[in-house]
């Protein structure tokens, strides 16, 4: 049983560019949450998707958007990248009826 | 909004000793409190969690206690081993089952 997977592993972009990160949840999981983890900090909640809709959102600007597909996989899009967007982006999936969030390995985004 | 404070930021213990990490949360409606372990360069992994209707939970060498009145919860690791070295994060959430929006503490590096 594959765990949560994310792609790409690493990404380098320049200011102003746009980026798309991808996440595949664990088998049987239908809810996907995205978190941003700056170096030396705890993860911060960006948003959560269920049934292809954004269910909850954290304190992130509209430059951060997402999508969930019918197969429950998800994308995180960030527009107009800023230096401060450099971080590890983590995806977590949850099975219906459970609170346990299983994290993927993350995508390390560097903005130059 | 919810805020979670975590102490200490670094904790050094001798092998075999116990380690205690403490967290305080601000939102009295929080109902779910997981603890994650993150080794360098790896994903956070859930090690134990507790819901607001339970005061204490144990799993082998790991235990978590919750004091709802004081709004704090603690992680206890007994008989520490070298493989316990990692960064530990507490989190709190007030969501419905299956839709938790985790608010994390700043982490404790256990050496």
């Amino acid at each position: 049983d594959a765990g949560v997977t994310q792609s790409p592993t690493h990404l380098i972009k320049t200011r102003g560019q746009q980026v798309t990160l991808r996440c595949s949840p664990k088998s049987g999981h239908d809810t996907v949450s995205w978190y941003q983890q700056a170096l030396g900090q705890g993860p911060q909640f960006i948003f959560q998707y269920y049934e292809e809709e954004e269910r909850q959102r954290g304190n992130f600007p509209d430059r951060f958007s997402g999508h969930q597909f019918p197969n429950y996989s998800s994308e995180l899009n960030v527009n107009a990248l800023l230096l401060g967007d450099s971080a590890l982006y983590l995806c977590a999936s949850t099975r219906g009826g459970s609170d346990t969030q299983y994290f993927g390995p993350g995508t390390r985004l560097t903005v130059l | 909004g919810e805020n979670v404070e975590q102490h200490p930021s670094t904790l050094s213990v001798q092998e075999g000793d116990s380690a205690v990490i403490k967290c305080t949360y601000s939102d009295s409606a929080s109902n779910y409190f997981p603890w994650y372990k993150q080794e360098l360069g790896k994903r956070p992994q859930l090690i134990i969690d507790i819901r607001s209707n339970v005061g204490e939970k144990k799993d082998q060498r790991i235990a978590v206690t919750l004091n709802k009145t004081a709004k704090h919860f603690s992680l206890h690791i007994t008989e520490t081993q070298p493989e316990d070295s990692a960064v530990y994060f507490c989190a709190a959430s007030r969501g419905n089952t299956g839709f938790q929006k985790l608010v994390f503490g700043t982490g404790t590096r256990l050496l």
Side-chain angles (χ1 to χ4, degrees), chain B residues 2-83:
Chain B
E2 172 75 278
N3 183 51
V4 176
E5 294 187 359
Q6 183 172 348
H7 300 281
S9 57
T10 304
L11 181 58
S12 295
V13 299
Q14 295 287 325
E15 183 176 347
D17 286 351
S18 295
V20 180
I21 303 171
K22 299 181 179 181
C23 288
T24 303
Y25 60 98
S26 61
D27 187 350
S28 57
S30 293
N31 57 17
Y32 176 64
F33 307 90
W35 286 87
Y36 283 85
K37 174 184 179 183
Q38 189 174 29
E39 297 177 61
L40 190 63
K42 298 197 174 179
R43 71 188 76 193
Q45 289 196 302
L46 180 74
I47 54 172
I48 195 166
D49 57 6
I50 193 169
R51 295 198 65 87
S52 58
N53 58 350
V54 175
E56 184 176 357
K57 184 177 179 180
K58 288 184 180 180
D59 183 4
Q60 298 183 333
R61 297 187 296 110
I62 294 173
V64 57
T65 58
L66 172 65
N67 183 327
K68 285 191 296 183
T69 303
K71 290 191 288 186
H72 67 69
F73 55 114
S74 301
L75 177 71
H76 304 253
I77 305 174
T78 59
E79 301 172 21
T80 54
Q81 300 169 6
E83 54 265 37

Side-chain angles (χ1 to χ4, degrees), chain A residues 4 35 37 42-43 45 48 50 55-57 97-101 103-105, chain B residues 32 36 38 43-44 46 49 51 89 96-102 104-106:
Chain A
V4 181
Y35 293 82
Q37 186 176 25
F45 179 82
Q48 183 178 78
Y50 172 70
R55 186 180 171 94
Q56 303 188 75
R57 189 178 184 92
S98 170
D99 285 322
T100 304
Q101 295 192 14
F103 282 85
Chain B
Y32 176 64
Y36 283 85
Q38 189 174 29
R43 71 188 76 193
L46 180 74
D49 57 6
R51 295 198 65 87
F89 291 98
N96 295 322
T97 299
F99 300 105
Q100 299 291 355
K101 171 184 169 182
L102 301 181
F104 283 84
T106 50

Side-chain angles (χ1 to χ4, degrees), chain A:
Chain A
D1 176 26
V4 181
T5 59
Q6 292 185 243
S7 63
T9 306
H10 297 88
L11 205 50
I12 299 175
K13 292 286 187 178
T14 56
R15 279 179 298 175
Q17 285 189 309
Q18 177 264 343
V19 69
T20 298
L21 311 181
R22 296 176 176 82
C23 170
S24 291
K26 272 176 71 77
S27 176
H29 288 199
D30 55 8
T31 302
V32 173
S33 302
W34 286 91
Y35 293 82
Q36 179 195 66
Q37 186 176 25
L39 201 60
Q41 300 294 317
Q44 282 196 294
F45 179 82
I46 303 174
F47 43 53
Q48 183 178 78
Y49 277 84
Y50 172 70
E51 292 188 335
E52 302 179 50
E53 291 192 359
E54 183 182 291
R55 186 180 171 94
Q56 303 188 75
R57 189 178 184 92
N59 294 325
F60 279 80
D62 292 344
R63 297 188 297 110
F64 290 77
S65 63
H67 189 77
Q68 186 178 36
F69 299 94
N71 66 353
Y72 308 117
S73 66
S74 177
E75 287 183 350
L76 163 65
N77 301 292
V78 187
N79 293 323
L81 285 167
L82 304 174
L83 296 179
D85 294 332
S86 296
L88 179 68
Y89 288 85
L90 294 162
C91 157
S93 72
T94 311
R95 175 179 54 81
S98 170
D99 285 322
T100 304
Q101 295 192 14
Y102 293 86
F103 282 85
T107 293
R108 172 75 60 188
L109 173 64
T110 301
V111 182
L112 302 177

